[in-house]
Amino acid sequence: MNESDQVQLFLRLMLAVGLGGLVGLEREFRGHEAGIRTSALVCVGAAAFGEVSVLFGDSRVAAGVVQGIGFLGAGLIFQRDDTISGVTTAATIWVLAGIGLMVSEELYLASVLLAVAIVLLLELSPLSDRVYRAG
């Protein structure tokens, strides 16, 4: 891989950092776990593993990301008394890994649009809470 290709790879990874950070900013703003740094790291980590998967032509690497992030996400779910918390955070981490893999496959528009959609979806939290209390 020549230097130009490596710069392009780095720029793709920085896109993943930015998209993960964007989603993490919403989480941080709302006071939830897995804020800016964690979200950016998960997204860029998945993108890096996706790049390796593409470079070596071995889709098992990308499949391993899905399994590994599932395991990480399971560790974020807690049960306290009658309540369960962390499910949305775990799901967010999982979808961020997907966005990172999309970036590694050069699906830039789709990954940006998905990141924006995820932020908008997470911003529905106050509405979701109101519906829950009304029910």
Side-chain angles (χ1 to χ4, degrees), residues 15-66:
L15 175 61
V17 167
L19 295 175
L22 174 70
V23 174
L25 180 64
E26 187 283 334
R27 302 302 288 165
E28 194 94 32
F29 180 74
R30 296 277 178 203
H32 294 287
E33 302 86 5
I36 297 170
R37 294 179 304 160
T38 302
S39 297
L41 287 170
V42 166
C43 197
V44 74
F49 284 116
E51 291 289 345
V52 169
S53 185
V54 169
L55 274 171
F56 294 111
D58 190 351
S59 61
R60 292 178 296 171
V61 176
V65 169
V66 175

